[in-house]
Amino acid sequence: MVRPQLDADGEARLLARFAAGDLGAARALTAALGPRILATATRMLGDRAEAEDVTQDAFLRLWQGAGEWEAGRARVSTWLTRVAMNLSIDRLRRRRGSPLDAIAEPADEAPSVAAEMQASARAEALRRALAELPDRQREAVVLRHIEGLSNPEIAEMLEIGVEAVESLTARAKRGLKALLADRKEELGLWDDN
Amino acid sequence: MTTDRDPLDQMLDGLRSEALGDLPDGLEARIVADAEAVLATQVRPPSIWTRISEAIGGWPAAAGLVAAGLAGVWVGVSPPEGALALMGLGDGQAVDILGGSALFVEEG
């Protein structure tokens, strides 16, 4: 299905219409923004059910704050992403009770998690490797490659410097390559020189 | 300048281009239901007349108030004789209805 793309103004207008009592505007925002939020939460948590909870929770906070939303404060989709990220990190912390950059547990193996991905060995291997990254590195990768944010945007969202983002991303990629190295021939991946 | 993109970057970009399907029906319904619930909890400021009506117990009470108000105007315009006596304005005697010092009872 071709999903209509909303720009920042479009998102803000829909939110304002919702705040004025238009439930249809909420449906439109949910349809437009929900899938990516769910994908982001799924990549962070590795658990579809938890990702759905985070997605629902993020939207609830949006609905509750709609009446006080300041025009121009932030883009709705960016705000939602930040909330979903924070909720995901909170869940990861509670799940392990360990510092933020502890090693991640293996991803959930339930078919519903893999269902949204293409049924390919590469995609599956990447999913597993991503789940094994430290939370902070995974967060940077997800924001860059799923949310499509630039380094300055990631820096603002994570409240760190741009250099720190570059460092996180570089470490994440080294980690992914190492995790995927065992299967590089099978998967037809790059050659290490 | 041509660069061969890092295959890992290509794989990671694949995460984004993976078909983002529609939200699961159940999840979409729950999110919209939350929105509906938030709207339902929003209270519109009532009109001034609604607030007065609710304060005095509804429109039947308001009607009674109006009637009493009109009666008060009538009494003022044409008071009965007993009322004049109480106000000390008529020919009747003043009556101490409080019975002297009955109001103030000292604790002993």
Side-chain angles (χ1 to χ4, degrees):
Chain A
M1 171 193 128
V2 176
R3 187 172 299 110
Q5 294 295 313
L6 288 174
D7 62 10
D9 286 341
E11 293 172 5
R13 276 196 298 272
L14 280 175
L15 189 62
R17 277 170 50 189
F18 165 73
D22 182 355
L23 187 63
R27 287 186 208 281
L29 275 173
T30 303
L33 304 183
R36 178 150 294 118
I37 296 298
L38 179 62
T40 295
T42 303
R43 289 290 159 261
M44 284 300 299
L45 294 166
D47 181 300
R48 180 66 165 218
E50 282 205 86
E52 290 195 9
D53 287 347
V54 161
T55 302
Q56 183 179 356
D57 202 353
F59 272 96
L60 176 59
R61 289 160 195 248
L62 180 66
W63 306 144
Q64 290 171 334
E68 282 80 40
W69 188 270
E70 296 168 19
R73 174 177 97 183
R75 181 167 180 168
V76 174
S77 53
T78 304
W79 186 90
L80 262 179
T81 299
R82 190 193 302 247
V83 170
M85 277 293 187
N86 289 340
L87 291 171
S88 298
I89 293 290
D90 286 347
R91 282 183 178 247
L92 289 168
R93 282 174 172 152
R94 285 199 303 271
R95 190 192 284 175
R96 298 188 204 96
S98 56
L100 190 60
D101 57 356
I103 299 299
E105 291 176 355
D108 180 47
E109 299 284 352
S112 61
V113 175
E116 67 168 294
M117 302 182 59
Q118 298 182 22
S120 72
R122 273 193 178 192
E124 180 63 22
L126 179 59
R127 184 181 71 80
R128 289 172 182 260
L130 196 60
E132 291 187 43
L133 285 181
D135 294 345
R136 204 62 164 166
Q137 291 178 24
R138 185 181 334 123
E139 197 173 21
V141 169
V142 168
L143 286 173
R144 162 64 74 79
H145 292 280
I146 292 184
E147 293 291 331
L149 301 184
S150 66
N151 280 352
E153 288 171 327
I154 296 172
E156 184 183 349
M157 184 167 294
L158 298 183
E159 297 177 337
I160 58 178
V162 174
E163 291 83 5
V165 172
E166 292 168 352
S167 172
L168 270 177
T169 307
R171 294 204 317 263
K173 287 188 177 178
R174 284 198 297 274
L176 288 172
K177 286 188 179 182
L179 289 164
L180 293 168
D182 290 343
R183 303 182 66 190
K184 65 175 182 175
E185 287 182 12
E186 170 196 346
L187 300 173
L189 297 176
W190 55 93
D191 292 322
D192 288 332
N193 292 323
Chain B
M1 178 181 75
T2 59
T3 54
D4 291 326
R5 288 200 68 215
D6 186 340
L8 180 58
D9 275 336
Q10 294 179 40
M11 289 173 66
L12 288 170
D13 286 344
L15 292 178
R16 180 175 174 82
S17 64
E18 279 165 13
L20 287 175
D22 294 341
L23 285 180
D25 286 345
L27 176 59
E28 184 155 4
R30 290 196 298 276
I31 291 173
V32 174
D34 285 344
E36 193 169 19
V38 167
L39 286 181
T41 60
Q42 286 177 354
V43 178
R44 293 189 171 196
S47 67
I48 181 72
W49 299 116
T50 304
R51 280 185 276 168
I52 289 173
S53 169
E54 288 172 351
I56 64 176
W59 286 113
L65 265 183
V66 171
L70 288 173
V73 170
W74 176 250
V75 167
V77 167
S78 173
E81 221 163 279
L84 284 174
L86 278 174
M87 288 187 284
L89 298 176
D91 295 332
Q93 290 183 326
V95 176
D96 183 355
I97 62 175
L98 297 180
S101 61
L103 257 185
F104 302 101
V105 180
E106 288 182 25
E107 291 188 15

